[in-house]
Every structure is written in C-alpha cells, then in structure tokens.
Amino acid sequence: MTLPTRDTRVTYPDGAVEARARVLHVAPAGEGRVAVVTDVTSFHPVDAAWPDQPADTGVIRSGGTALPVLDAVVAASDGTELFLGIDIPVRKGTEGWAFVVAHLLDEGAAIAEGDEVGIEADAMVRRSLSIGHTACHVASLALNSALAPRWSKPARTDALGNPDFDGIAIDTSRIQPNGSVDRYRVNKSVRRAGFDASGLDAALDELAASVEATLAEWAESGAAVRVERDASGDGLTDRRSWVCELPGGTARIPCGGTHAGSLAELGELQVSFELSDDRGTPVLEMRTSATADR
C-alpha cells in the first residue's frame, strides 16, 4: 500500500462539487468502514481540530458503481501510517507529514489503489452548508459591531475594526444547513479584557434587533463573497480566506470552509440569543438562520 506524501489537492474552495481522481490509498478505518485517499477531491471534510462545518455528502463512482461516502475527515500520514481525525498526533504543517482527505466508505466497497474514480459531492447539501457558513461569518461581524460599546479597554479587532468579541469569547461554532449555532463563554478573562456583561440578559432582544438590522443592510447590498487562496497552492492545509465586500469595507477572515457567492443568496437573516450559566460562567448562544430559497 502506498501512503500519500503530499497534501490532498482540494477543489471545493472554488465551489466544485465533482472531481476526477486517482485512488492513492485504501485502509481499514474501523466500524465496518475503509478510508479512501485520493490525489484530488471535491469533498469538504470535517476537521477534528475545529469541526465547525460538517463534511459533504455524496458518492465516489468507481467502475460504474456509485459508492456512498459515509463521512469525510481530515487525516494525516508520516509515510508509514494513516491517522484519522482526533488520532492525528501532530499539528498541520508539521514537516514530513501529509494532510489528506479520507473518504470513509463501507468496507465492502469495490475500490482499490490505482483506480480512476469520480468524486461527487451533493450540490444541494453543499449549497445549504455554504450559505450557513457565510451567514455565520457576517453574523459574527454584526455581533461584534453591536457589542462594541460594551468594551472599556482596547481589544483585538475583527476584520472591520470592531472589538472581536466573537474571536475572543468563542467556545464552539457549528455550521448547519442555512445557518449556524455559536456559543460564547463570557468568562473572567473576557471580562478582565474589558467586556462589560452587566445587564446582558435583559438586553438580548435589543441585541438581536441590532444584529438583524446590520445584517439586513448587508444582505440588501448583495455584497460579493469569494474565497482567496494564498500563493502557496491548492493543498488541503494551504491557507485560504473568506472575503466579503461589505458596504463598510472589505472583510477578510481566515477560513477553510465553503461559501455562498454573495450575500444576496442568503435571503433574510434572522438571529436569536440565549444566555445560560455553565458552573458560574455566563454562556451566550447565537442562532443564525438564512431564509435562502425557502
């Protein structure tokens, strides 16, 4: 068996859902599955290090047979072994390691190293997750803007120059079809950094109205969205950024996910907030949804 020596070449950042590829490696993956690594893929994988966007769904076509992809995960190899997801023992970019997309198929799948295959991600699922991811980014920027008056000290800023509450307080972010759920821990370190959380529980409706007003303005503008690659190339771990031409300026956020082509695709954007307590730490949850084609 031949393990890959370079990162998988990925085409999903450009919006591709189909790719022609050669199978480089097939290995048992446990739970009745095999991991299939190809030289190129259009499948967006889930990354255990920051699992915000779920994996694409779809099939690999081999020898006229459509083989369902049960999952797609970031994997890595040092040339002697393939490590999947949370089992990867090194950081991305570690010298001597290749980071790849492992497509997980049923262990009975008729597929072998050297096969020429077609990879097809489900276009409708991709679209809904892309809309959800773009909605997540603009909602985070609108949230930062709405919360800016609550900062009493200089803080690191976001892509639009506002105090970056999202980046400072984020605990988890999960992209969903046409939306996202983001949880923020307003812990002591956030408050010591200058964020005033007093009265936040009574101001959630006002906060939602402020965020939605900003989002409505941005969506109305139909601002263009693109994914920019660094000059380093098109490998899985090469740096990419989400870029949006908002009315107040160009926003650029490092991101490896997939996105809509413009804010016009999102339709109406709605947000809701809930404040809870996690063993004495306030946790703010923001749910974002886009009407899109609904």
Side-chain angles (χ1 to χ4, degrees):
M1 294 187 292
T2 303
L3 283 159
T5 57
R6 56 163 291 177
D7 288 2
T8 303
R9 183 162 62 88
V10 294
T11 62
Y12 57 78
D14 299 323
V17 292
E18 297 185 7
R20 294 297 303 176
R22 179 182 294 276
V23 177
L24 300 178
H25 185 70
V26 180
E31 300 180 354
R33 304 175 300 177
V34 293
V36 177
V37 178
T38 56
D39 59 343
V40 60
T41 188
S42 56
F43 249 70
H44 178 277
V46 65
D47 187 345
W50 185 249
D52 57 340
Q53 182 170 336
D56 281 332
T57 62
V59 300
I60 293 180
R61 295 190 181 275
S62 178
T65 302
L67 306 171
V69 177
L70 307 178
D71 201 356
V73 301
V74 173
S77 174
D78 60 356
T80 62
E81 189 174 351
L82 185 69
F83 299 86
L84 303 179
I86 61 173
D87 293 329
I88 297 174
V90 296
R91 294 179 179 273
K92 293 183 183 69
T94 299
E95 187 175 355
W97 285 75
F99 283 79
V100 299
V101 177
H103 311 81
L104 302 185
L105 277 58
D106 185 274
E107 63 182 355
I111 194 167
E113 293 172 11
D115 284 355
E116 295 285 347
V117 298
I119 299 177
E120 300 176 10
D122 186 292
M124 293 301 292
V125 172
R126 165 73 66 76
R127 174 175 166 76
S128 68
L129 292 173
S130 296
I131 286 172
H133 207 149
T134 296
C136 178
H137 282 334
V138 291
S140 72
L141 293 171
L143 175 64
N144 288 343
S145 176
L147 293 177
R150 286 182 170 270
W151 290 90
S152 61
K153 300 178 183 178
R156 87 181 197 196
T157 55
D158 67 11
L160 295 179
N162 290 309
D164 192 8
F165 174 83
D166 174 82
I168 295 169
I170 191 71
D171 181 32
T172 61
S173 180
R174 295 293 182 269
I175 308 303
Q176 300 177 338
N178 295 333
S180 65
V181 179
D182 296 273
R183 298 180 78 252
Y184 303 96
R185 293 181 64 81
V186 192
N187 54 26
K188 290 181 180 179
S189 64
V190 173
R191 299 195 294 272
R192 281 197 297 266
F195 182 77
D196 181 9
S198 62
L200 187 59
D201 55 341
L204 297 184
D205 289 343
E206 179 183 349
L207 179 61
S210 175
V211 171
E212 286 185 350
T214 299
L215 292 175
E217 176 189 352
W218 289 348
E220 180 66 22
S221 75
V225 174
R226 64 183 183 274
V227 174
E228 290 185 351
R229 301 174 185 261
D230 281 2
S232 53
D234 55 5
L236 176 62
T237 61
D238 289 325
R239 291 182 60 83
R240 297 180 289 277
S241 296
W242 172 87
V243 183
C244 185
E245 308 292 347
L246 292 168
T250 299
R252 180 175 277 99
I253 298 174
C255 181
T258 65
H259 290 282
S262 77
L263 299 191
E265 297 179 31
L266 275 56
E268 182 181 354
L269 288 162
Q270 301 169 333
V271 297
S272 63
F273 291 96
E274 181 179 334
L275 192 65
S276 59
D277 180 89
D278 181 10
R279 293 172 290 184
T281 297
V283 175
L284 179 67
E285 180 179 278
M286 176 172 68
R287 291 183 172 268
T288 304
S289 62
T291 58
D293 295 330
R294 296 201 301 267

